[in-house]
């Protein structure tokens, strides 16, 4: 086991090397001495027992079983792509050092939207072609839509990064950053992503969807992390945001915000047994979708997700929005800033969802009411307990039913299950302070 440590240390920059303790016979990567706390090597750590839904059955170990030949430290997109190995299931540990920009070519040169554009696509021509006043409400088709698709495919080839089974991805130190990337944990089991910031999965080529939301809407392609047919996934101490490129700064076309981002962390298509802990979701519209269709009945009995000790700051909606899943939402911190005039809701109870929301803390400006925190999308049940709203206890369920009587059916407290896989549940106030100090990338100590 000493050999393993030595091999890991050899891969680290000298400054990150773990001091050797000759008298310390234990092999415990957590115990590396007080003087090196900031450099704790988390590469082979696994999800603790009983830590949320991802600890069910065999638990979640990611790439902990990787041999030394499959422990990679990567510093650019090309290295990351090689390490991911096309989404192979070989146990592997991928450590990201510094900043990696997904919008780069194989030589590491930055690619911008113009570099992907092909087939004569231009936004100006696209807007002229599919203006609802002349084009109507049919789906865009024809040369500009074909050119948009071809251009989008060129960007997708760079930014979509497939993550396979038995993989751990961790950031090194406190500044690991993946820009513009869309991590796709797809048809995979046993994956860990920790201590990593992923920022601005910006779509150069949003599509116009004329029948979305009544008057049509723009749809962007990329989630910073998308779980699709994924099981046993632990997302911990990640920071996901649109930092640098907020959608609210984008122009309005066809009377709708020209959205450039989709979800921050979407969990769909039969994904199951997921724990999301100590992470930050910030500066974004639709943060987290769990279940992407009312008719996706294959999701029934799946989409079991635990969200604890996360921070949702400056998020407009979907924190999360749930269909079908048994979702345990505890000890999270929500911050709606004073200037957030686009805030819609936080917890979305969708079709056949069974959310257990307890001991969460909500901070909002005066124009947001406690009854706004919950929205039902054909939901029927929601269990709430011990939540606080601007430091005062609030019964979200009773409030929701009082404010929405007549417009939508009442939600009952009977979700049909009781969470058992979880660590200690703190008071909302204690969790609020701990999350403010400790959630997000660069904060594992
Ligand atoms: Ca999505």
């Amino acid at each position: 086991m000493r050999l393993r440590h030595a091999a890991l240390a050899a891969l680290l920059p000298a400054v990150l090397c773990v001091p050797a303790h000759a008298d310390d016979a234990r092999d415990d990567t957590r115990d590396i001495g007080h003087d090196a706390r900031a450099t704790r090597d988390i590469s082979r750590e696994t999800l603790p027992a009983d830590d949320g839904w991802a600890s069910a059955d065999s638990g979640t170990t990611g790439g902990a079983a990787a041999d030394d030949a499959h422990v990679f430290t990567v510093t650019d997109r090309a290295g990351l792509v090689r390490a991911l190995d096309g989404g192979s299931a070989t146990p592997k540990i991928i450590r990201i050092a510094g900043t990696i920009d997904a919008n780069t070519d194989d030589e590491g040169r930055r690619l911008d939207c113009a570099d992907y554009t092909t087939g004569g696509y231009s936004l100006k021509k696209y807007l002229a072609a599919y203006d609802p006043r002349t084009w109507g409400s049919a789906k865009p088709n024809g040369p500009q839509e074909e050119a948009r698709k071809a251009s989008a495919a060129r960007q997708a080839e760079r930014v979509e990064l497939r993550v396979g089974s038995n993989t751990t991805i961790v950031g090194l130190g406190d500044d690991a950053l993946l820009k513009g990337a869309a991590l796709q944990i797809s048809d995979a089991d046993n994956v860990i992503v920790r201590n990593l910031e992923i920022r601005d999965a910006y779509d150069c080529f949003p599509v116009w969807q004329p029948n979305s939301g009544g008057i049509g809407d723009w749809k962007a392609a990329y989630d910073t992390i998308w779980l699709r047919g994924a099981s046993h996934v632990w997302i911990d101490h990640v920071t996901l945001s649109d930092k640098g490129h907020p959608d609210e700064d984008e122009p309005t076309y066809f009377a709708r915000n020209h959205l450039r981002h989709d979800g921050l962390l979407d969990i769909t298509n039969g994904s199951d047994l997921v724990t999301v802990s100590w992470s930050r979701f910030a500066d974004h519209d639709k943060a987290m979708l769990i279940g992407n269709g009312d008719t996706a009945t294959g999701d029934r009995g799946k989409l079991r997700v635990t969200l604890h000790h996360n921070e949702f700051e400056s998020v407009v909606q979907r924190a999360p929005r749930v269909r079908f899943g048994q979702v345990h939402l505890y000890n999270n911190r929500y911050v709606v800033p004073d200037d957030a005039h686009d805030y819609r809701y936080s917890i979305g109870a969708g079709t056949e969802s069974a959310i257990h929301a307890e001991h969460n803390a909500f901070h909002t400006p005066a124009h947001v009411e406690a009854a706004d925190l919950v929205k039902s999308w054909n939901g029927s049940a929601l269990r709430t307990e011990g939540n606080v709203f601007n430091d005062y206890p609030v019964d979200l369920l009773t409030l929701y039913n009082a404010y929405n009587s007549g417009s939508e059916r009442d939600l009952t407290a009977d979700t049909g299950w009781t969470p058992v896989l979880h660590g200690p549940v703190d008071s909302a106030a204690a969790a609020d302070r701990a999350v403010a100090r400790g959630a997000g990338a660069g904060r594992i100590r």
Side-chain angles (χ1 to χ4, degrees):
M1 295 307 261
R2 278 281 157 208
L3 279 175
R4 197 191 79 198
H5 256 168
L8 284 175
L11 289 161
L12 286 163
V15 68
L16 289 173
C17 276
V18 175
H21 294 280
D23 58 345
D24 182 359
R26 286 171 299 170
D27 181 72
D28 181 353
T29 52
R30 291 161 196 251
D31 185 11
I32 57 176
H34 293 294
D35 51 342
R37 283 165 64 91
T39 67
R40 166 176 145 195
D41 183 2
I42 61 170
S43 302
R44 289 188 190 268
E45 290 183 7
T46 59
L47 178 67
D50 299 328
D51 190 349
W53 274 119
S55 68
D57 306 336
S58 51
T60 300
T61 60
D67 59 28
D68 289 346
H70 292 91
V71 178
F72 308 94
T73 299
V74 300
T75 58
D76 58 15
R77 181 190 174 280
L80 176 58
V81 167
R82 272 196 303 275
L84 286 168
D85 192 23
S88 85
T90 308
K92 62 184 98 55
I93 294 169
I94 303 173
R95 305 189 303 183
I96 293 180
T99 297
I100 292 179
D101 189 343
N103 287 292
T104 49
D105 68 14
D106 288 342
E107 280 71 50
R109 284 184 295 255
R110 165 85 196 163
L111 298 170
D112 62 23
C113 293
D115 294 313
Y116 297 124
T117 301
T118 188
Y121 171 82
S122 91
L123 178 60
K124 201 175 159 194
K125 287 182 189 161
Y126 189 87
L127 293 171
Y130 307 116
D131 187 325
R133 291 168 296 191
T134 47
W135 174 262
S137 62
K139 260 179 85 169
N141 66 65
Q144 274 301 306
E145 174 57 11
E146 289 307 309
R148 188 203 63 78
K149 275 189 199 156
S151 304
R154 284 158 57 94
Q155 186 183 21
E157 192 268 322
R158 304 314 294 178
V159 303
E160 289 180 351
L161 300 172
R162 175 114 184 245
V163 181
S165 297
N166 309 313
T167 300
T168 291
I169 301 175
V170 295
L172 279 179
D174 61 6
D175 64 350
L177 169 63
L178 197 45
K179 281 167 74 175
L183 281 190
Q184 301 193 341
I185 304 173
S186 172
D187 299 321
D189 180 63
N190 193 28
V191 174
I192 296 173
V193 182
R194 299 181 74 199
N195 193 42
L196 181 64
E197 178 175 358
I198 312 179
R199 184 190 294 178
D200 190 22
Y202 181 92
D203 186 351
C204 289
F205 309 101
V207 64
W208 175 246
Q209 297 188 325
N211 297 307
S212 179
I215 64 164
D217 206 354
W218 294 97
K219 173 85 169 79
Y222 307 119
D223 304 325
T224 47
I225 302 179
W226 183 15
L227 274 55
R228 195 168 183 270
S231 53
H232 294 107
V233 179
W234 182 30
I235 308 285
D236 177 70
H237 283 93
V238 302
T239 295
L240 307 179
S241 79
D242 300 345
K243 194 169 178 180
H245 254 148
D247 281 332
E248 63 185 17
D249 287 359
E250 294 291 325
T252 295
Y253 298 124
F254 306 161
R256 302 292 280 170
N257 185 204
H258 195 226
L259 294 174
R260 295 295 194 165
H261 306 87
D262 198 25
L264 287 177
L265 172 56
D266 284 3
I267 301 172
T268 69
N269 299 74
S271 292
D272 198 19
L273 305 176
V274 177
T275 297
V276 182
S277 52
W278 294 100
S279 292
R280 286 195 76 233
F281 301 86
D283 306 320
H284 190 85
D285 186 341
K286 301 168 177 128
M288 191 185 301
L289 185 63
I290 301 176
N292 61 357
D294 288 350
T295 56
T297 49
D299 286 342
R300 229 172 239 158
K302 297 190 172 177
L303 300 176
R304 290 173 292 179
V305 179
T306 301
L307 297 169
H308 73 84
H309 295 92
N310 302 292
E311 181 172 73
F312 296 92
E313 185 179 7
S314 298
V315 163
V316 176
Q317 56 187 320
R318 300 187 183 174
R321 174 175 172 178
V322 181
R323 295 178 173 97
F324 299 107
Q326 294 179 339
V327 172
H328 190 198
L329 186 63
Y330 74 90
N331 283 169
N332 300 285
R333 167 182 158 90
Y334 294 79
V335 181
V336 182
D338 288 345
D339 59 356
H341 292 287
D342 54 354
Y343 173 79
R344 292 185 63 190
Y345 68 92
S346 294
I347 301 169
T351 301
E352 296 183 36
S353 62
I355 302 170
H356 191 110
E358 58 171 320
H359 299 92
N360 302 289
F362 297 86
H363 302 273
T364 78
H367 68 269
V368 173
E369 309 215 22
D372 298 338
L373 302 177
V374 170
K375 180 163 172 57
S376 171
W377 303 85
N378 194 35
S380 54
L382 173 71
R383 176 89 188 271
T384 70
E385 187 183 336
N387 299 290
V388 300
F389 175 71
N390 293 328
D391 299 328
Y392 289 88
V394 62
D395 179 346
L396 291 175
L397 183 64
T398 303
L399 256 181
Y400 177 83
N401 287 336
Y403 274 75
N404 292 281
S405 56
S407 57
E408 292 165 38
R409 67 176 155 166
D410 279 1
L411 297 170
T412 75
D414 181 12
T415 57
W417 75 294
T418 302
V420 290
L421 293 171
H422 58 80
V425 179
D426 298 322
S427 72
D432 188 41
R433 290 190 296 272
V435 170
R437 277 197 309 271
R443 286 172 148 187
I444 295 181
R445 291 291 183 269

